[in-house]
């Protein structure tokens, strides 16, 4: 979407009292640096206090972004400087080579579809030992809404 389209969506959500966080889906066939740059332009235009830029790591069809592209996206965030975070699910974290802990120092937003946040008992994966956000999405609404609980691990 264009910058004006994105700004209109953000302003509309804020007018409804919704908390807005930036998020990009890392498609396997796009340039991750260009994607982060586009999101960063929106962040600089909208937020005074810089939020986490959530990088969505999950399959698109049967394809998943490569590890090198994910590393490039994370590094580009740090260069911006914007705090990156990774949005994924355990099923992806177990398939994707996240287990060596390379990304464990950045926040994790883990998708967990169930009856309610049980963050303290949600098993960690991918080397994460600290900051984690549990998200549950409703897909029956026109706006993707999430309920979050956050926990910091020592």
């Amino acid at each position: 979407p264009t910058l004006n389209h994105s700004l209109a969506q953000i302003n509309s959500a804020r007018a409804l009292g919704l908390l807005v966080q930036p998020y990009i889906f890392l498609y396997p066939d796009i340039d991750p640096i260009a994607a982060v740059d586009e999101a960063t332009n929106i962040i600089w235009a909208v937020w005074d206090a810089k939020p986490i830029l959530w990088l969505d790591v999950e399959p698109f069809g049967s394809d998943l972004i490569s590890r090198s592209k994910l590393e490039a996206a994370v590094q580009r965030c740090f260069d911006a400087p914007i705090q990156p975070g990774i949005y994924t699910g355990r099923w992806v974290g177990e398939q994707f080579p996240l287990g060596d802990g390379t990304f464990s120092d950045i926040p994790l937003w883990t998708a967990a579809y169930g009856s309610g946040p049980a963050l303290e008992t949600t098993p960690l994966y991918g080397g994460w030992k600290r900051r984690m956000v549990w998200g549950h999405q409703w897909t029956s609404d026109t706006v993707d809404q999430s309920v979050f609980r956050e926990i910091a691990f020592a």
Side-chain angles (χ1 to χ4, degrees):
T2 65
L3 177 59
N4 287 338
H5 177 79
S6 295
L7 294 176
Q9 286 186 321
I10 291 166
N11 290 332
S12 174
R14 284 180 167 175
L16 293 171
L18 299 174
L19 175 66
V20 179
Q21 288 270 316
Y23 160 102
I24 58 174
F25 193 103
L26 293 176
Y27 293 97
D29 61 342
I30 65 164
D31 177 3
I33 292 174
V36 169
D37 286 348
E38 184 176 339
T40 300
N41 289 337
I42 295 169
I43 290 168
W44 292 123
V46 174
W47 281 271
D48 294 325
K50 300 306 170 233
I52 294 171
L53 174 56
W54 294 103
L55 307 172
D56 189 337
V57 178
E58 61 182 298
F60 180 70
S62 61
D63 295 329
L64 188 64
I65 188 170
S66 70
R67 183 182 175 99
S68 62
K69 284 187 173 184
L70 176 57
E71 289 171 348
V74 167
Q75 186 57 53
R76 189 61 163 201
C77 288
F78 284 128
D79 293 344
I82 298 289
Q83 172 64 58
I86 293 180
Y87 168 78
T88 195
R90 183 175 190 82
W91 63 95
V92 178
E94 290 172 348
Q95 295 174 35
F96 198 74
L98 297 173
D100 66 0
T102 298
F103 305 107
S104 63
D105 286 337
I106 63 175
L108 168 67
W109 168 11
T110 188
Y113 305 100
S115 59
L119 196 56
E120 295 80 6
T121 59
T122 300
L124 290 171
Y125 54 91
W128 273 278
K129 293 183 168 91
R130 63 181 197 91
R131 195 163 181 199
M132 182 172 76
V133 176
W134 183 97
H136 172 79
Q137 290 75 33
W138 286 284
T139 57
S140 61
D141 199 338
T142 56
V143 177
D144 189 25
Q145 299 179 37
S146 295
V147 174
F148 295 101
R149 290 185 62 202
E150 186 171 344
I151 190 166
F153 292 92

